[in-house]
Amino acid sequence: MSDCSTCVVRNRAICASLETDELQLLGKMGRKRTIKRGETLLWEGDPAPVVANIIDGVLKLSVNLQDGREQIVSVMYAADFIGRPFGKESPYRVTAMTDAELCVFTRSSFDSFAKEHPDLQNKLLQRTLDELDRAREWMTLLGKKSATERIATLLVELSDRLSMDGCSPETLYLDRFELPMDRQQISDILGLTIETVSRQFTRIRKEGIIELPDRRTVIIRDRTRLKALSEAE
């Protein structure tokens, strides 16, 4: 990653706060890495030797429950930052839900660089606060929203987040996209059974809000109704 000027998420990634010369220094420390769907970058409870910007793809953060089940605690998209700066262990497992491309830094070199660049530390703090806000919103979803509202909320988020390709900071949305997760993973994310997930997809489809040409493809026919459904039935 010696030339960060060609990075497609450079205006939205955590390093966007850096000046050109600083960006060049950081770029020399990073390297591109492609990981396949299902490949794990970091393991829960193990040393966390790297941090990374997501250039393309979708990854999940998960933890194992005492009975061996997996709980997905967050889904990460292009321009998101993964890893644990200034921490020695990863509190979660980081696994690719799709093929993904990352800009990877050793944690030690990134930590040293961040200590010398306050703007980057401020960006890290802002990202941390944004993640906290997202976690609180997800607590509301799991604690208060119905099954239909949960599915609609996830579809709206995917429509928004998967649209953010390239370096434009403008937020758009997709009316057609491929689900990066299967029905089992959706049930894990939303705290529902697979049967409930399938029933809710069928319900929303029958109401003409979405189309489901196959098990992965979603076409949004009525975004206004989908957003309304995500907020209250």
Side-chain angles (χ1 to χ4, degrees):
M1 287 297 296
S2 59
D3 186 8
C4 291
S5 65
T6 63
C7 177
V8 296
V9 296
R10 66 185 183 276
N11 290 344
R12 296 187 288 114
I14 197 169
C15 44
S17 61
L18 299 176
E19 299 294 337
T20 301
D21 56 339
E22 297 172 324
L23 199 60
Q24 290 176 346
L25 288 174
L26 182 63
K28 292 178 181 179
M29 296 164 47
R31 61 184 177 87
K32 279 189 177 181
R33 176 175 172 181
T34 300
I35 59 177
K36 296 296 184 180
R37 178 181 177 183
E39 185 178 346
T40 295
L41 178 69
L42 297 171
W43 293 91
E44 178 187 359
D46 281 1
V50 298
V51 297
N53 282 322
I54 303 176
I55 299 174
D56 185 49
V58 181
L59 292 88
K60 64 178 178 179
L61 310 184
S62 63
V63 296
N64 283 329
L65 304 179
Q66 290 186 347
D67 60 6
R69 290 178 297 166
E70 178 189 55
Q71 176 62 57
I72 298 175
V73 297
S74 185
V75 179
M76 311 295 283
Y77 304 88
D80 282 343
F81 183 80
I82 54 178
R84 192 78 168 183
F86 310 111
K88 295 182 179 180
E89 295 181 352
S90 176
Y92 36 68
R93 187 167 72 237
V94 180
T95 306
M97 303 186 82
T98 67
D99 291 349
E101 186 176 17
L102 310 175
C103 178
V104 179
F105 306 89
T106 64
R107 182 180 53 79
S108 58
S109 63
F110 185 87
D111 288 356
S112 297
F113 185 89
K115 289 177 181 177
E116 298 174 357
H117 296 83
D119 286 347
L120 184 59
Q121 291 192 55
N122 290 338
K123 196 73 171 180
L124 279 170
L125 176 58
Q126 185 60 56
R127 286 294 176 103
T128 301
L129 294 175
D130 289 344
E131 284 297 312
L132 180 59
D133 289 341
R134 287 179 61 189
R136 288 169 173 166
E137 291 172 1
W138 214 251
M139 287 173 62
T140 300
L141 178 143
L142 296 177
K144 297 296 183 181
K145 289 193 175 185
S146 68
T148 305
E149 292 165 350
R150 295 182 196 188
I151 294 292
T153 299
L154 179 64
L155 292 178
V156 170
E157 176 176 288
L158 289 170
S159 172
D160 292 340
R161 295 302 304 273
L162 294 176
S163 72
M164 298 177 70
D165 293 329
C167 61
S168 172
E170 183 180 358
T171 300
L172 304 173
Y173 57 83
L174 296 177
D175 284 330
R176 183 187 181 113
F177 56 88
E178 301 294 313
L179 289 169
M181 65 281 286
D182 57 29
R183 296 293 192 270
Q184 178 62 64
Q185 291 169 326
I186 291 174
S187 69
D188 290 340
I189 293 169
L190 299 179
L192 303 170
T193 65
I194 296 179
E195 294 77 14
T196 298
V197 169
S198 296
R199 283 197 300 270
Q200 295 306 321
F201 269 113
T202 299
R203 172 186 172 181
I204 299 173
R205 176 183 60 80
K206 287 183 176 179
E207 291 182 4
I209 299 173
I210 63 172
E211 287 186 18
L212 301 170
D214 54 58
R215 291 186 64 82
R216 287 283 186 172
T217 305
V218 175
I219 301 173
I220 299 176
R221 290 303 182 192
D222 193 331
R223 184 176 177 83
T224 299
R225 289 178 63 195
L226 183 64
K227 291 194 71 173
L229 197 61
S230 72
E231 296 167 358
E233 289 194 79

